[in-house]
Amino acid sequence: MPDQLVNKSVNHGFCFNILCVGETGLGKSTLMDTLFNTKFEGEPTQHNQPGVTLKSNTYELQESNVRLKLTVVNTVGFGDQINKEDSYKSIVEFIDAQFEAYLQEELKIKRTLHSYHDTRIHACLYFIAPTGHSLKSLDLVTMKKLDSKVNIIPIVAKSDAISKSELAKFKIKITSELVSNGVQIYQFPTDDESVAEINSTMNSHLPFAVVGSTEEVKIGNKMVKARQYPWGTVQVENENHCDFVKLREMLIRVNMEDLREQTHTRHYELYRRCKLEEMGFKDTDPDSKPFSLQETYEAKRNEFMGELQKKEEEMRQMFVQRVKEKEAELKEAEKELHEKFDRLKKLHQDEKKKVEDKRKSLDDELNMFKQKKTAAELLQNQAQQAGGSTTLKRDKERKNGDNASLSSST
């Protein structure tokens, strides 16, 4: 039976998903290249990212006859913003999205979990800057938000940047701060006798102080991965120089399956339970009797229909209220329009009356003017007639005088 299971697993292949969380420039990509002895694609990111985005890349690796589908998820722009308050949210949302995708696949009528590409995060390598002092608030807040969703393995990145004594004190300080803030990091399992001793020893070395490098340097008669400095050479795989070998042993060679199992049985089950409880599913009823899915469905359906009817009634009442308000507004507007019309009508009548009065006054003045004109013309005619009779009388008198003078002379 063990041989059958081994053959089946080897034929099916394995998947492993790693989430690298850390500030830009801490060597996340370099460490991944060093861990899996390959060159993963990717370009260095700048420090001008407006927010934190997660970039996922999947690779097909093979060692002997074992195939591994490796997914590396990198947090682009983490810690680069001035306001880092919401830096962890996109990471939490990404992890939950992978859980949700797996849950949706489980809830399907026709499931294909045997061929489903599991994208749930199995291990979170949290890169800590080698400050030598204490953890940043961003690190504590982020790890606290992630510890119930993913297996966190804290590592001190670029540990060759601080001295050996400072590194030892820094590790103690980190462990103390994680405990005092209630951050639950992944502990290598000690319940299996075959790995209990080595895992117990490795738990005491957390967080691992690592150095990554893909450059090979000749040391003695062999080529080793190392970083060269003016003062000497740091060998990546030398346990006296850093904990890279310990990390590789624990992550890949000893505890990879436990990380996958912990992700499924602990973190995913917690997410699944919370989601099903939100959907109304229960294991037992109030009488501690098994609760069937049909009963749960009917209860949830009745609850949903009740809420739907309640919302419909609320919407209907709201619609009626809106209609009444609108009718009141229209009536008020109509009343205002009628009042305005009455005012304009009254104003028009007043103006019309004024115009009529003015016209009547002008007609009276015109009639009076005509009467005066007629009287004046009459007086003028009379005066002309009186002047003409006076002239005739004078001419007659003068003629008579002339005749009298003529008779006396004769």
Side-chain angles (χ1 to χ4, degrees):
M1 180 63 73
D3 292 340
Q4 294 177 34
L5 293 176
V6 168
N7 293 333
K8 181 179 179 181
S9 298
V10 169
N11 292 332
H12 183 263
F14 302 90
C15 71
F16 191 62
N17 307 318
I18 300 177
L19 171 64
C20 298
V21 181
E23 298 178 4
T24 306
L26 288 181
K28 299 186 291 295
S29 301
T30 303
L31 183 65
M32 289 297 101
D33 293 345
T34 311
L35 270 175
F36 294 95
N37 195 28
T38 186
K39 180 65 177 176
F40 295 123
E41 60 185 17
E43 298 179 355
T45 57
Q46 304 298 323
H47 290 270
N48 56 358
Q49 302 295 326
V52 180
T53 57
L54 280 84
K55 186 177 181 181
S56 176
N57 292 307
T58 302
Y59 310 94
E60 296 281 350
L61 305 181
Q62 185 163 351
E63 181 178 319
S64 299
N65 63 335
V66 178
R67 291 179 293 106
L68 175 67
K69 183 177 288 186
L70 175 68
T71 300
V72 179
V73 183
N74 195 6
T75 53
V76 179
F78 182 78
D80 289 342
Q81 295 76 35
I82 295 176
N83 183 4
K84 303 177 178 63
E85 183 178 359
D86 298 333
S87 296
Y88 68 89
K89 288 187 177 180
S90 57
I91 304 175
V92 172
E93 290 172 357
F94 179 85
I95 296 174
D96 286 344
Q98 312 317 308
F99 285 153
E100 182 65 24
Y102 193 88
L103 178 61
Q104 292 299 324
E105 183 64 27
E106 272 192 336
L107 295 177
K108 287 181 178 179
I109 297 176
K110 294 183 179 181
R111 300 182 298 178
T112 56
L113 293 176
H114 63 282
S115 60
Y116 176 74
H117 179 206
D118 186 5
T119 58
R120 295 173 297 176
I121 301 300
H122 300 124
C124 171
L125 298 182
Y126 196 96
F127 289 70
I128 300 171
T131 60
H133 298 290
S134 61
L135 286 172
K136 298 179 181 179
S137 300
L138 174 64
D139 298 329
L140 286 172
V141 171
T142 304
M143 281 193 277
K144 185 63 179 176
K145 295 294 182 180
L146 297 179
D147 62 356
S148 62
K149 297 180 178 296
V150 70
N151 302 311
I152 300 177
I153 302 177
I155 59 177
V156 180
K158 295 186 175 181
S159 60
D160 55 340
I162 55 177
S163 66
K164 195 169 184 178
S165 60
E166 288 177 334
L167 181 59
K169 294 178 182 178
F170 190 35
K171 282 188 173 186
I172 296 173
K173 182 70 173 177
I174 290 173
T175 304
S176 174
E177 289 185 344
L178 292 177
V179 172
S180 61
N181 287 276
V183 178
Q184 300 293 326
I185 63 173
Y186 175 74
Q187 295 291 321
F188 301 116
T190 57
D191 51 354
D192 187 353
E193 295 180 359
S194 60
V195 294
E197 183 177 355
I198 185 173
N199 280 348
S200 178
T201 303
M202 291 303 167
N203 283 330
S204 63
H205 284 84
L206 289 173
F208 292 134
V210 298
V211 176
S213 176
T214 55
E215 298 179 2
E216 292 191 349
V217 178
K218 188 174 183 179
I219 304 294
N221 295 325
K222 61 179 181 179
M223 302 295 291
V224 297
K225 291 183 174 64
R227 294 179 66 88
Q228 282 188 318
Y229 294 95
W231 45 263
T233 303
V234 176
Q235 299 179 34
V236 173
E237 296 180 339
N238 189 333
E239 295 191 46
N240 294 323
H241 293 180
C242 68
D243 296 332
F244 173 80
V245 174
K246 296 182 177 67
L247 173 64
R248 184 177 62 188
E249 290 286 330
M250 292 299 97
L251 184 67
I252 300 175
R253 296 183 178 176
V254 180
N255 298 299
M256 180 181 285
E257 184 56 32
D258 184 73
L259 288 166
R260 287 158 40 89
E261 184 179 351
Q262 285 290 324
T263 298
H264 182 77
T265 60
R266 180 186 170 193
H267 302 298
Y268 170 70
E269 283 298 319
L270 176 62
Y271 177 84
R272 177 179 174 274
R273 183 171 70 249
C274 293
K275 291 295 290 186
L276 292 180
E277 287 176 352
E278 289 178 5
M279 295 167 65
F281 290 96
K282 300 177 183 178
D283 291 331
T284 57
D285 59 12
D287 298 329
S288 298
K289 294 181 180 179
F291 209 75
S292 67
L293 290 177
Q294 182 65 26
E295 292 175 349
T296 302
Y297 170 76
E298 292 295 335
K300 197 66 179 177
R301 184 177 183 276
N302 293 334
E303 181 184 351
F304 174 76
M305 293 302 295
E307 291 179 356
L308 183 61
Q309 291 178 358
K310 184 179 178 180
K311 288 184 178 179
E312 287 180 352
E313 182 63 23
E314 290 177 354
M315 292 181 66
R316 190 182 68 80
Q317 293 292 340
M318 186 181 297
F319 178 75
V320 171
Q321 182 66 24
R322 293 278 181 87
V323 169
K324 289 181 178 179
E325 292 176 356
K326 198 65 177 178
E327 286 180 350
E329 291 178 2
L330 291 174
K331 287 181 179 180
E332 186 67 24
E334 185 179 4
K335 183 179 178 181
E336 292 179 358
L337 287 174
H338 280 300
E339 291 177 353
K340 186 176 181 180
F341 176 74
D342 292 338
R343 288 197 302 269
L344 292 175
K345 185 176 180 181
K346 185 179 179 182
L347 182 62
H348 174 70
Q349 291 176 350
D350 293 341
E351 292 293 332
K352 185 176 180 182
K353 185 178 179 182
K354 289 180 181 179
V355 171
E356 292 292 335
D357 292 343
K358 188 71 175 177
R359 182 179 179 183
K360 185 178 179 181
S361 176
L362 291 174
D363 289 341
D364 294 342
E365 291 180 2
L366 182 60
N367 293 332
M368 188 177 295
F369 174 76
K370 288 180 178 179
Q371 291 176 1
K372 289 181 178 180
K373 182 179 180 183
T374 304
E377 290 177 349
L378 182 60
L379 290 174
Q380 186 178 6
N381 291 333
Q382 291 176 355
Q384 289 178 353
Q385 292 176 1
S389 61
T390 303
T391 303
L392 290 174
K393 186 177 180 182
R394 287 179 181 174
D395 290 340
K396 186 176 181 182
E397 288 179 352
R398 187 169 51 250
K399 186 176 181 182
N400 292 331
D402 291 339
N403 291 330
S405 298
L406 181 59
S407 297
S408 62
S409 62
T410 304

